[in-house]
Amino acid sequence: MTVWKASTALFGAVALAVMTGGGASAAPAAPGGWQESGTSRVSSLTGSQGLASRADGSLLHRGLGSIPLDLRIKGWGHIGDPDIAKGHTFDAYQGGDDARSKMFAVTAPDGKRHLYEHKLDAGEKLNNSFAAVSPDNQWLVSGEWGDQNRLQVFPVPLLNSSTPPAGGALPQAGQIALDKPVRDIQGCDFVSDTRLVCASNDASKQLWPEDRPVLQVDLERPLDGKPVTGRVASLFAVPQRSVCSGSFETEGVDYDPARRTLRVEVVPPAPCLVTTTVYAYKPTTG
């Protein structure tokens, strides 16, 4: 949810400080079966809101500067953590405080973009923080801001035959009911057909002992469009390392199954926030 504001001159100065300042310490071991394996950095203008791995291993990044002008004019002023499935890119959009719907934009391999709009159901928040496609390419998981006991599930636009073939309305399917509450989820991605990893920006330590934890959600069965229960556990806290001091912000998360690599984005405090850090992890077992 970062609002990015910085001049080009400030970006260059701080980027140099980040690259030459901190980060020299050895990568710590992370609990929960993951070991930190490296870091990279991306411009926050085009990379602070999320990321997704392509089939060739390259990364797609999203930031507030990634929003096409035509969608911004229509009122879609925030883009969330994306996902990629079968060569299709799925972007989560939300409007302003008076929004009555949320939107998913799907860019097909041929470059054509299709818009799927979901009118808010009773009690549903307007937030659309991320898009996570199930391994069978049939269900799309998203989430709202604040304290939540659920994740939302939709049929995957274009790939699920129940959706319109060129954009249109997108109704909500059965939800994931969480056995423990979560707060300020910025992104989720599937590790298997019954497991997701999610990045939380919760720094309160009221729900979880970690500051800004990466969470694991284990489903009782693969998604099928019907209600399902998810068991939540905390894996580890995201790193908060920077030459700048202040408040960090957790953003997108991605799991690359072909390379067994988990990545989590962290935006450092101002003025270092012009550059987002991407932390990579490898499983410690298996």
Side-chain angles (χ1 to χ4, degrees), residues 199 214 236 238 250 252-254 262-266 277-281:
V214 174
F236 56 87
V238 299
T250 305
V253 64
D254 175 76
L262 174 69
R263 293 181 175 91
V264 184
E265 288 185 326
V266 179
T277 304
V278 181
Y279 293 93
Y281 297 85

Side-chain angles (χ1 to χ4, degrees), residues 105-154:
V106 184
T107 304
D110 61 6
K112 293 182 179 179
R113 188 178 66 207
H114 307 283
L115 308 183
Y116 291 80
E117 194 164 333
H118 168 69
K119 291 185 178 181
L120 301 183
D121 296 322
E124 181 180 354
K125 292 187 176 182
L126 61 86
N127 313 106
N128 197 16
S129 299
F130 64 91
V133 178
S134 60
D136 65 359
N137 302 311
Q138 293 300 294
W139 306 102
L140 184 149
V141 176
S142 187
E144 302 146 289
W145 197 242
D147 290 9
Q148 296 295 331
N149 291 291
R150 69 178 185 182
L151 296 175
Q152 297 178 282
V153 180
F154 303 86

Side-chain angles (χ1 to χ4, degrees), residues 3 110 113 240 255 264 285-286:
V3 177
D110 61 6
R113 188 178 66 207
Q240 298 183 51
Y255 179 68
V264 184
T285 59

